[in-house]
């Protein structure tokens, strides 16, 4: 990739818009396309407000300069044709992603790289027909990507090795934390770990062991604290006198027994309905957007805290 | 419980010492006993240093006054006899806990409450023989309890309802975040959720999808961030336009498929050995204690950050 290549964003909802900020704040020129004109109109006002919030939190030196690097394009070809890296963040179904990737494929430089924001569907299911399929891979962020740095890189069986290596370098350079999978698996790492915990949380709630609120508090004021700056392996490595092997010897049997007694079933419909009612009593539907803004403000402060404490990028 | 009852700490290792600080900083007189004289000698110097660190982080107004509330007793009876609440934190085996509980039972006031720091063994397995068994319950903290506020309250089948209610009130008053289980289950909530995630993490590592380091980074720089101030249910409630029921409708099937394809096996011995070698290359055995101190310093700053941001107690 040439120095400070042009970056294209295809699909400019919340995820795509966050990606635009990630690349622009690192000094890249970013060209944005979304097929929906209403979405295209929302991008720059949203980015202006978000960049200002980052600057206020000390996470961005000069938000106005950053904004000058963003432009919205009327066609996909215009956004993509000169780009060295293209981030695709369209709606997550195999059909929508297939169509978007074929359109990108037709307009892209053959040496460009296309990272898909897919949160769980592997790239092999929607890039096989692409002429440049060796240049496509998964680059899955957490929402919103400009506040949560991790990005999962997952190759399809036909992804070029250098496309993986180059994307890893780019992501590190722009301040994200890339993690690399060796091969595809549904849900990748992040959502498989999330799913495992959620499956157990639903089961405990379904069986009446504790309230939704208390299960949430167990994580928010307990289990989640160390995990916000250390991973699960380092956590257990520090939690037994002799480290991780000592921990496994002491507690591995208990954890296996718990898993062996759990027969995984689908999340129970009636329990989901009840959980929905409880959540809507705590937080009415009309307040969801306000609470999401609260979450993002908290993530902004957490990112600034981690940065200033040397606990994050 | 009378106002500002005396608190007794039985077992004064890292967990018990942390508990002593929790109660003393909230204004309680705390009497500490440990059967090991070497442990008894370490408690006050450790508490002095830790209270100073809390004061420096703005989490404690006056560490010297707090220290005046702590005393170490030469016998269990001396620590326990006038106490309104007793926190038991001895080594976690059924035998050691049974013996400690019988000794406490013989010396305690019949209206006192005994909370056990057991991290996974339910109280019914070691309190049945106690005369005052209705006053015993689980009060499981995260280590160290003075930096991580959650505490799981779990009744045995014979625990008095008012002992649960009173402990909940006490824990809230001293600044912890109590969560209540309706009945016993191995591992309670916290370690069942941790175990579910760990089982999946070991499987992904064992099957070679990603490195130990990248699995840790996926949590530390991604999945763990929202969980450090919101629980898993609120996280998914905010992650779909229509809230938690909408999220379950979109992604419940994917999460169930992942679980259905996993056959839970024991953590593989050879993989544990390999993980241990990798961790010891990143962090030599001789540096484990230093890294634990680093973790606790980070948790102290995180607690101060959450408090000042209104994200935690």
């Amino acid at each position: 990739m040439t120095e400070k290549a042009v970056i294209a964003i295809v699909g400019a909802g919340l995820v795509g818009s966050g990606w635009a900020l990630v690349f622009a704040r690192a000094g890249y020129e970013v060209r944005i396309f979304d097929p929906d004109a209403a979405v295209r109109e929302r991008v720059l006002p949203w980015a202006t407000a978000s960049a200002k919030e980052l600057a206020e939190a000390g996470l961005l030196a000069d938000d106005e300069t950053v904004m000058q690097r963003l432009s919205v394009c009327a066609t996909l070809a215009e956004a993509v044709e000169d780009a060295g890296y293209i981030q695709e963040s369209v709606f997550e179904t195999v059909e929508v992603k297939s169509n978007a990737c074929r359109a990108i494929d037709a307009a892209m430089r053959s040496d460009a790289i296309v990272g898909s924001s897919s949160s769980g569907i592997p790239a092999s299911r929607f890039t096989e027909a692409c002429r440049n399929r060796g240049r496509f891979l998964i680059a899955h962020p957490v929402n919103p990507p400009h506040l949560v740095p991790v990005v999962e890189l997952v190759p399809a069986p036909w992804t070029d090795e250098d496309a993986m290596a180059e994307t890893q370098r780019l992501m590190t350079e722009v301040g994200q934390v890339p993690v690399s999978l060796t091969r595809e698996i549904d849900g990748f790492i992040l959502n498989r770990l999330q799913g495992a915990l959620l499956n157990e949380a639903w089961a405990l709630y379904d069986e009446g062991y504790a309230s939704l609120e208390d299960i949430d508090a167990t994580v928010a004021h307990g289990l989640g604290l160390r995990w916000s700056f250390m991973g699960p392996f380092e956590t257990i490595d520090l939690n037994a006198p002799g480290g991780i092997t000592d921990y496994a010897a002491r507690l591995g049997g208990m954890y296996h027994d718990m898993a062996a007694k759990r027969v995984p079933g689908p999340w129970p419909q009636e329990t989901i309905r009840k959980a929905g009612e409880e959540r809507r009593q705590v937080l009415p539907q009309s307040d969801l957007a306000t609470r999401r803004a609260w979450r993002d403000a908290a993530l902004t402060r957490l990112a600034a805290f981690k940065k200033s404490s040397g606990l994050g990028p």
Side-chain angles (χ1 to χ4, degrees), chain A:
Chain A
M1 199 171 299
T2 55
E3 276 183 38
K4 296 295 176 196
V6 170
I7 305 286
I9 301 293
V10 175
L14 281 174
V15 177
S17 300
W19 273 121
L21 262 187
V22 165
F23 293 110
R25 75 178 167 193
Y28 284 90
E29 182 190 337
V30 179
R31 299 182 190 165
I32 303 163
F33 174 74
D34 193 286
D36 184 339
V39 171
R40 287 201 300 273
E41 273 165 36
R42 279 200 297 266
V43 179
L44 294 183
W46 175 89
T48 305
S50 300
K52 208 163 162 241
E53 281 163 21
L54 289 179
E56 282 163 6
L59 290 167
L60 198 61
D62 177 0
D63 52 311
E64 285 178 23
T65 305
V66 167
M67 287 306 297
Q68 287 167 10
R69 300 186 187 121
L70 298 176
S71 59
V72 174
C73 302
T75 66
L76 182 138
E78 200 186 320
V80 159
E81 60 193 2
D82 295 325
Y85 180 82
I86 300 152
Q87 183 75 37
E88 171 275 300
S89 310
V90 301
F91 190 70
E92 190 162 332
T93 66
V94 169
E95 200 192 346
V96 174
K97 294 239 178 249
S98 291
N99 291 338
C101 287
R102 274 197 296 264
I104 292 168
D105 188 48
M108 71 191 273
R109 282 177 7 204
S110 61
D111 67 339
I113 297 169
V114 186
S116 168
S117 297
S118 168
S119 68
I121 308 177
S124 60
R125 284 198 223 139
F126 55 84
T127 64
E128 187 168 13
C130 292
R131 185 178 46 122
N132 301 299
R133 66 182 193 173
R135 311 303 295 167
F136 285 71
L137 50 85
I138 301 292
H140 168 232
V142 175
N143 196 14
H146 63 295
L147 298 177
V148 183
V150 85
V151 51
E152 296 186 276
L153 306 183
V154 193
W158 44 77
T159 302
D160 297 344
E161 272 181 36
D162 80 281
M164 280 287 285
E166 186 59 20
T167 307
Q168 195 167 23
R169 194 203 55 73
L170 173 69
M171 291 299 172
T172 304
E173 188 210 327
V174 300
Q176 302 299 96
V177 176
V179 298
S180 296
L181 277 77
T182 54
R183 61 191 195 278
E184 296 187 331
I185 185 170
D186 285 353
F188 318 136
I189 299 170
L190 191 140
N191 278 326
R192 294 188 73 87
L193 297 179
Q194 173 165 234
L197 186 141
L198 282 172
N199 287 335
E200 183 64 30
W202 278 111
L204 288 168
Y205 174 63
D206 180 56
E207 292 162 4
Y209 284 103
S211 68
L212 213 61
E213 216 172 354
D214 275 1
I215 293 171
D216 266 357
T218 303
V219 176
H221 301 291
L223 187 57
L225 301 195
R226 291 168 299 191
W227 285 352
S228 70
F229 60 92
M230 302 194 306
F233 287 121
E234 181 164 12
T235 297
I236 64 173
D237 193 37
L238 300 184
N239 256 359
I244 192 167
T245 52
D246 186 19
Y247 185 95
R250 287 166 190 245
L251 295 167
M254 178 181 86
Y255 288 128
H256 173 242
D257 284 350
M258 289 177 194
K261 284 181 197 155
R262 275 266 174 251
V263 180
W267 295 357
Q269 285 306 320
E270 175 54 24
T271 304
I272 292 169
R273 196 196 53 72
K274 192 172 138 235
E277 279 180 11
E278 284 183 40
R279 284 295 306 163
R280 294 295 67 78
Q281 280 177 1
V282 176
L283 184 75
Q285 185 78 20
S286 54
D287 291 350
L288 274 169
T290 312
R291 187 73 174 169
R292 284 190 196 105
W294 167 87
R295 174 200 63 195
D296 289 351
L299 285 172
T300 305
R301 290 197 302 270
L302 182 60
F305 161 73
K306 286 187 68 178
K307 190 179 179 182
S308 68
S309 300
L311 298 171

